[in-house]
């Protein structure tokens, strides 16, 4: 790559400016066009209109795709992008390595248009090949809008509207050789938004599922204070702490075609617990939605301060476990015991038709006890049936080990066949007998397990369920779960809310998910979602067992910061809420003590009918599909017939959630349940495990901004219309590019919702209380 052409004084000035400028000053100064490169070089660049009048010209919008003005020629392809972000003291430098391919037989010319945050300064721009002096500059907002309007008018492509209203960096013309590749590198700096201890970074990218350009992300954060929590609602990131103080973190996401802006928030450490609130206003529910993120200090505890664990491994030794399954399970038990700290304790309970145990209660981890446990495990042989009831009862009845957190790892590969076998009876027994609050992490091995029962036991005890599929290694699955349970730091969490006057209130929040707050182990963070019903300042108090002592943490949050830009908050809440409602149906249809279902058609009961209707309403409004509502994306589904949709939803719930208690379908429903109940990341493609164990995803349901759209017969239909049961007919119809269309675009830009007009094909949406049809197609 050729050296970046720039004046050293310009670079130094930009860096010094960024270092010293306050956000308000920076925003004011950016009204002018900030340019990278010499004024002479920029004046020699081709005028914008001339650039796009050429038959071979292309526009590269990295966050979306490459657009071509060429007629009949091969289009330039955007093949991949590597993003590197360095954040130092809340100032970010974003560097994009953009890879292009020209499959045509003639050299192409292109211009880069990069939507960026409002407070951005170009720091460098370069591309492969010889050139006089490559340049890039930030367009003022008005010029950026004119630029976009001109491109949209020429290309007649609504996809470009997604970034209308953004500031733009525009480059000078660069070549892409015939049949060859081009590599661009552009960097820009901007000061990040700060809210208390929280710092937010956003890299704008298209939400369109049709954009399949793979991106990789690499982020380095350097702060003067330790970083307590790093959270992204958009991407799964691998986190590595690069120093012992927790002030330097590297985050990485391998190349992926997942759509949507890259969003990142991190919390700077404070004494005890750090927390912050992200809110989305929604007057229709009398307030809005919130996401509370919280975490503990990086060095919350030394080895001596950590709460020790009392771990009981409960092993199914029934006849069906014979062979590899039992061998792997015994190996997993040895691995867990060996991984315990000297001050921790353990026990082994094994069961078939009867129940046996290594000790009456957990014993300390000593060399002698570990050797004895190895001999005990080696003596276990498979035989008999599966007495799940008595095995669970023996587990939870063990005496508590003072000062230790009791954890049970419960493994089974079968249905209850001996003793008391009723699903609801076993579930209720665990509730009543588990007076010590033991955490029961369940493992279903194979397909022949009662999935709703295992999920209920783990969920009720602040734990998780895991399923080991045929052919998977039991030892690997158990080890993966146990690794996440290291160093318990904060347990038995409870939340209290106080109003602006400091008085405890139960009216300010509702619909909290999860309803039982989880324990926080080493490296964990809390992500709590819910609805708020007030506009006043909220005060939270989180109380729990912190390093062996009862401790309370207090936080205050101003809901005036609620923003439509936080549209991911209600969508994440809705995903968890749907999961909760489905589980209410699964648990409500459990077998009674006689072994029969409490009701074959449970939806004749108004309570269950209401649950199903709410599942459908949330699924349509937020565009969230599951194995129970995937029919919404099926060609031919009448989205304007709510009763038919409700009937279909009840049928799918009855067929799957109610009647599939064991077998492959039930196990994959269990996998979906345990993934979704703790969902913290958006899923634009609505992925889930099917009954056959395959991964389903959808492209004809599009989540964009704070809405969702369903594609019906080539027309995109606003989910708000479907969920409200309104007629799917337009009150007014506007053509793409018309004055009315431009006026609606300006209105949506003012709300940050311009993406609603960016879908290909006709769009029926609700705007200002009217059903509007936007005709993007040629009629």
């Amino acid at each position: 790559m050729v050296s970046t052409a720039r004046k050293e004084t310009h670079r130094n000035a930009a860096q010094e400016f960024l270092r010293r400028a306050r956000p308000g000053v920076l925003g004011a100064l950016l009204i002018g066009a900030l340019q990278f490169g010499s004024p002479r070089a920029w004046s020699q660049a081709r005028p914008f209109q001339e650039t796009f009048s050429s038959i071979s010209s292309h526009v590269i919008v990295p966050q979306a795709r490459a657009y071509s003005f060429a007629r009949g020629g091969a289009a330039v392809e955007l093949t991949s992008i590597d993003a590197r972000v360095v954040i130092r003291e809340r100032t970010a430098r974003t560097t994009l390595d953009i890879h292009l391919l020209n499959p045509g037989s003639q050299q192409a010319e292109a211009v880069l248009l990069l939507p960026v945050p409002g407070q951005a300064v170009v720091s460098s721009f370069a591309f492969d090949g010889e050139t006089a002096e490559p340049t890039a500059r930030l367009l003022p907002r008005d010029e950026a809008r004119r630029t976009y309007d001109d491109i949209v008018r020429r290309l007649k492509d609504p996809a470009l509207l997604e970034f209308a209203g953004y500031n733009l960096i525009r480059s000078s013309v660069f070549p892409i050789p015939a049949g060859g590749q081009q590599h661009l590198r552009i960097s820009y700096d901007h000061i990040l938004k700060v809210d208390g201890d929280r710092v937010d970074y956003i890299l704008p990218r298209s939400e369109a599922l049709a954009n399949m350009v793979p991106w990789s992300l690499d982020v380095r954060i350097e702060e003067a204070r330790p970083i307590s929590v790093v959270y992204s609602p958009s991407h799964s990131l691998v986190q590595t702490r690069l120093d012992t103080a927790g002030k330097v973190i590297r985050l990485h996401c391998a190349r992926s075609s997942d759509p949507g802006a890259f969003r990142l928030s991190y919390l700077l450490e404070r004494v005890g617990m750090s927390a912050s609130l992200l809110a989305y206003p929604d007057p229709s529910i009398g307030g809005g939605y919130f996401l509370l993120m919280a975490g503990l200090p990086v060095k919350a505890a030394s080895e001596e301060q950590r709460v020790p664990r009392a771990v009981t491994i409960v092993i199914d030794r029934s006849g069906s476990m014979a062979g590899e399954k039992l061998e792997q399970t015994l190996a997993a038990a040895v691995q867990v015991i060996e991984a315990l700290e000297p001050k921790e304790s353990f026990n082994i309970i094994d069961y078939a038709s009867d129940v046996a145990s290594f000790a009456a209660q957990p014993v300390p981890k000593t060399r002698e006890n570990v050797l004895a446990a190895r001999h005990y495990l080696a003596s276990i042989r498979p035989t008999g049936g599966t007495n799940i009831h008595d095995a669970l009862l023996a587990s939870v009845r063990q005496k508590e080990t003072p000062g230790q957190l009791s954890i049970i790892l419960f493994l089974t590969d079968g249905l209850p066949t001996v003793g008391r076998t009723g699903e609801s009876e076993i579930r209720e027994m665990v509730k009543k007998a588990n007076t010590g609050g033991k955490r029961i992490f369940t493992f279903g091995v194979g397909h022949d397990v009662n999935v709703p029962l295992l999920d209920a036991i783990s969920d009720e005890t602040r734990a998780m369920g895991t399923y080991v599929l045929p052919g998977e290694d039991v030892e690997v699955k158990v080890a993966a779960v146990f690794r996440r349970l290291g160093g318990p730091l904060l347990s038995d969490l409870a939340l209290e809310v106080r109003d602006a006057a400091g008085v405890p209130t139960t009216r300010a929040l509702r619909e909290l998910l999860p309803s039982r707050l989880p324990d926080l182990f080493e490296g964990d963070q809390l992500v709590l979602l819910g609805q708020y019903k007030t506009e006043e300042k909220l005060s939270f108090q989180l109380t729990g067992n912190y390093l062996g002592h009862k401790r309370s943490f207090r936080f205050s949050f101003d809901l005036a910061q609620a923003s439509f830009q936080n549209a991911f908050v209600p969508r994440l809440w809705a995903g968890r809420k749907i999961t909760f409602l489905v589980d209410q149906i699964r648990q409500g249809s459990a077998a009674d003590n006689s072994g029969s279902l409490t009701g074959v058609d449970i939806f004749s009961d108004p309570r269950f009918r209401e649950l199903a209707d709410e599942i459908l309403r949330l699924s349509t409004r937020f565009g969230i599909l599951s194995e129970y509502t995937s029919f919404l994306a099926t060609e031919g589904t009448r989205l304007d017939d709510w009763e038919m949709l409700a009937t279909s939803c009840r049928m799918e719930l009855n067929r799957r959630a109610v009647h599939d208690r064991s077998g492959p379908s039930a196990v994959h429903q269990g996998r979906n349940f345990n993934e979704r109940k703790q969902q913290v990341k958006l899923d634009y493609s609505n992925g889930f495990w099917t009954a056959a164990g395959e991964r389903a995803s959808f492209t004809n349901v599009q989540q964009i901004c704070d809405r969702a759209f369903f594609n019906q017969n080539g027309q995109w239909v606003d989910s708000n219309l479907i969920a409200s049961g309104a007629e799917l007919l337009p009150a007014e119809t506007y053509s793409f590019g018309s004055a009315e269309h431009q006026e609606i675009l300006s209105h949506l830009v003012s709300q940050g919702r311009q993406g609603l007009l960016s879908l290909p094909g006709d769009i029926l949406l609700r705007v200002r209380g009217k059903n509007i049809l936007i005709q993007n197609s040629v009629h």
Side-chain angles (χ1 to χ4, degrees):
M1 173 174 289
V2 71
S3 299
T4 304
R6 61 180 178 259
K7 296 292 185 184
E8 193 67 22
T9 53
H10 283 236
R11 184 188 68 177
N12 295 338
Q15 291 176 341
E16 179 67 12
F17 159 75
L18 204 60
R19 185 178 69 82
R20 296 190 174 195
R22 292 173 300 178
V25 176
L26 183 58
L29 290 173
L30 284 174
I31 293 174
L34 292 174
Q35 171 182 314
F36 189 86
S38 71
R40 185 180 63 84
W42 185 254
S43 66
Q44 291 175 349
R46 301 187 191 180
F48 180 80
Q49 291 77 8
E50 180 186 341
T51 299
F52 297 123
S53 65
S54 170
I55 189 173
S56 59
S57 290
H58 297 75
V59 179
I60 311 300
V61 182
Q63 293 96 328
R65 58 187 174 87
Y67 299 87
S68 176
F69 287 92
R71 297 181 181 178
V76 168
E77 299 173 11
L78 184 56
T79 58
S80 66
I81 298 175
D82 300 310
R84 290 179 291 114
V85 183
V86 177
I87 301 173
R88 292 190 177 98
E89 293 290 324
R90 309 175 196 185
T91 298
R93 169 163 292 183
T94 301
T95 300
L96 302 182
D97 282 291
I98 303 161
H99 303 275
L100 304 170
L101 172 66
N102 177 11
S105 58
Q106 296 182 348
Q107 175 171 295
E109 290 185 328
V111 166
L112 179 74
L113 283 182
L114 181 68
V116 292
Q119 299 178 346
V121 177
V122 185
S123 58
S124 67
F125 173 61
F127 53 80
D128 290 343
E130 296 299 324
T131 183
E133 194 165 354
T135 54
R137 67 163 181 153
L138 180 75
L139 302 183
R141 185 174 297 272
D142 289 345
E143 185 178 347
R145 179 62 187 274
R146 289 195 302 271
T147 299
Y148 243 62
D149 288 346
D150 185 60
I151 300 174
V152 171
R153 178 178 58 81
R154 291 167 181 262
L155 291 176
K156 296 182 171 55
D157 190 334
L160 283 161
L161 297 178
E162 191 169 0
F163 298 109
Y166 276 79
N167 282 3
L168 291 177
I169 293 173
R170 180 207 147 179
S171 76
S172 55
V173 178
F174 55 86
I176 311 173
Q181 299 179 351
Q182 178 59 276
H183 171 205
L184 314 179
R185 176 173 291 168
I186 187 164
S187 296
Y188 65 88
D189 298 329
H190 74 291
I191 294 176
L192 303 184
K193 176 185 175 184
V194 177
D195 184 354
D197 293 323
R198 191 186 80 239
V199 182
D200 297 328
Y201 172 89
I202 298 179
L203 174 58
R205 298 196 319 153
S206 173
E207 293 186 283
L209 288 165
N211 292 325
M212 299 299 292
V213 178
W215 283 63
S216 71
L217 296 163
D218 195 274
V219 183
R220 181 184 176 95
I221 307 173
E222 301 176 7
E223 284 286 351
R225 290 164 56 191
I227 302 161
S228 173
V229 175
V230 177
Y231 169 62
S232 173
S234 61
H235 288 74
S236 297
L237 300 171
V238 177
Q239 177 177 315
T240 306
R241 291 189 179 270
L242 301 179
D243 69 332
T244 57
K247 300 177 182 180
V248 184
I249 289 180
R250 182 188 178 222
L251 308 167
H252 181 72
C253 178
R255 279 190 178 172
S256 166
S257 299
D258 291 344
F262 171 49
R263 295 178 178 273
L264 176 69
S265 295
Y266 62 90
L267 287 178
L268 297 176
E269 189 176 293
R270 57 186 291 181
V271 176
M273 177 178 274
S274 302
S276 189
L277 194 82
L278 292 157
Y280 172 91
D282 187 350
S284 70
I285 63 169
Y289 298 87
F290 74 88
L291 182 153
L292 174 70
M293 53 186 288
L296 298 168
V298 177
K299 291 186 173 181
S302 63
E303 293 290 337
E304 294 73 25
Q305 290 176 307
R306 290 177 183 172
V307 176
R309 299 163 295 180
V311 179
T312 299
I313 308 154
V314 186
I315 299 172
D316 182 346
R317 55 173 166 82
S318 61
S320 59
M321 283 286 289
E324 192 175 57
K325 286 191 290 187
L326 185 57
E327 292 171 5
Q328 292 173 355
T329 299
L330 297 178
V334 171
Q335 188 179 136
V336 167
I337 293 169
E338 294 284 4
L340 293 172
E341 299 294 332
K343 64 179 180 178
E344 297 181 313
S345 58
F346 70 91
N347 197 7
I348 303 163
I349 294 176
D350 54 295
Y351 69 100
S353 299
D354 63 339
V355 180
S357 65
F358 171 70
Q361 64 191 54
V363 298
K365 184 195 176 186
T366 63
R367 183 173 179 274
E368 293 75 20
N369 284 339
V370 171
L371 288 173
R374 281 180 170 273
H375 287 302
Y376 184 86
L377 290 167
S379 70
I380 292 177
R381 298 291 182 271
T383 183
T386 309
N387 193 341
I388 287 179
H389 179 281
D390 288 359
L392 283 167
L393 184 60
S395 304
V396 297
R397 274 186 170 177
Q398 294 180 99
K399 287 179 63 176
E400 296 301 311
T401 306
Q404 296 189 345
L405 179 67
S406 296
I407 294 174
I408 296 172
L409 307 179
F410 185 89
L411 293 91
T412 183
D413 82 327
L415 302 168
T417 59
V418 176
R420 298 181 177 179
T421 60
E423 180 184 332
S424 58
E425 182 181 20
I426 294 174
R427 189 181 67 201
E428 291 305 312
M429 177 277 294
V430 173
K431 277 186 182 180
K432 292 177 182 177
N434 189 22
T435 55
K438 294 178 174 68
R439 278 51 168 166
I440 307 176
F441 291 82
T442 59
F443 296 83
V445 183
H447 288 152
D448 194 24
V449 293
N450 188 316
V451 174
L453 174 61
L454 297 180
D455 285 344
I457 291 169
S458 60
D459 195 51
E460 183 69 30
T461 60
R462 302 181 195 239
M464 292 292 297
T466 300
Y467 294 93
V468 185
L469 303 181
E472 292 185 328
D473 193 315
V474 179
E475 183 180 0
V476 171
K477 281 295 189 78
V478 172
V481 171
F482 192 67
R483 274 197 301 271
R484 299 200 304 268
L485 305 181
L489 304 176
L490 182 60
S491 60
D492 301 314
L493 266 176
L495 175 69
E496 182 180 72
V497 183
R498 297 172 182 267
D499 61 20
V503 179
T505 177
T506 58
R507 298 191 297 271
L509 302 183
R510 69 176 187 180
E511 303 285 359
L512 300 183
L513 295 167
S515 55
R516 284 180 291 275
L517 300 185
D519 302 322
L520 294 185
F521 293 86
E522 202 166 76
D524 279 352
Q525 59 193 40
L526 174 66
V527 178
L528 176 66
L529 293 152
Q531 297 178 352
Y532 63 87
K533 308 290 290 182
T534 178
E535 298 300 326
E536 298 180 343
K537 181 178 288 189
L538 279 178
S539 294
F540 288 76
Q541 178 172 294
L542 283 165
T543 302
N545 184 338
Y546 180 58
L547 303 178
H549 303 281
K550 186 174 181 179
R551 178 87 179 269
S552 293
F553 307 94
R554 295 180 178 85
F555 311 96
S556 293
F557 303 111
D558 187 355
L559 293 172
Q561 300 295 320
S563 168
F564 291 127
Q565 302 304 309
N566 295 331
F568 62 90
V569 173
R571 185 160 282 122
L572 289 174
W573 173 86
R576 287 191 184 182
K577 183 64 177 179
I578 291 168
T579 303
F580 171 81
L581 295 172
V582 169
D583 194 53
Q584 293 298 296
I585 292 173
R586 288 201 308 165
Q587 303 306 330
S589 54
D592 60 22
N593 296 342
S594 66
S596 62
L597 287 177
T598 54
V600 176
D601 181 15
I602 66 168
F603 296 108
S604 60
D605 185 331
R607 295 173 301 167
F608 290 102
R609 183 180 288 264
E610 183 180 32
L611 291 174
D613 287 347
E614 183 65 3
I615 289 168
L616 179 62
R617 188 188 70 81
L618 292 173
S619 298
T620 51
R621 180 184 173 190
F622 292 99
I624 298 173
L625 301 187
S626 65
E627 57 267 55
Y628 317 106
T629 55
S630 60
F631 62 86
L632 291 167
T634 302
E635 190 67 35
T637 297
R638 288 278 308 276
L639 297 177
D640 59 347
D641 189 339
W642 184 260
E643 189 51 45
M644 186 198 75
L645 297 178
T647 300
S648 297
C649 184
R650 291 192 288 268
M651 287 176 59
E652 291 300 313
L653 286 164
N654 194 56
R655 182 165 70 93
R656 300 175 186 272
V658 174
H659 287 287
D660 288 347
R661 318 298 291 181
S662 63
S665 174
V667 167
H668 295 305
Q669 287 181 70
R671 294 173 72 192
N672 292 330
F673 168 75
N674 283 283
E675 287 178 6
R676 292 172 184 154
K677 78 172 187 177
Q678 58 180 352
Q679 181 182 358
V680 296
K681 185 181 85 67
L682 293 172
D683 180 11
Y684 284 91
S685 63
N686 280 301
F688 62 82
W689 298 107
T690 68
E694 298 172 343
R695 194 70 178 170
S697 60
F698 302 86
T699 58
N700 54 351
V701 178
Q702 175 70 65
Q703 301 169 1
I704 194 161
C705 300
D706 55 355
R707 305 262 185 108
F709 290 83
F710 292 78
N711 194 299
Q712 185 174 60
N713 301 321
Q715 181 184 94
W716 293 98
V717 180
D718 190 336
S719 61
N720 284 346
L721 300 178
I722 303 168
S724 66
E727 272 194 315
L728 303 185
L729 296 173
E732 298 174 9
T733 300
Y734 303 136
S735 297
F736 178 86
S738 65
E740 295 86 356
H741 175 261
Q742 289 294 307
E743 195 277 329
I744 291 176
L745 175 61
S746 295
H747 170 69
L748 293 175
V749 165
S750 70
Q751 300 177 333
R753 289 170 163 153
Q754 60 272 25
L756 302 183
L757 299 184
S758 67
L759 297 170
D762 294 351
I763 307 170
L764 180 64
L765 74 162
R766 189 80 170 169
V767 181
R768 295 170 175 165
K770 290 182 180 180
N771 292 2
I772 305 295
L773 177 64
I774 302 296
Q775 292 183 331
N776 288 324
S777 306
V778 178
H779 291 269

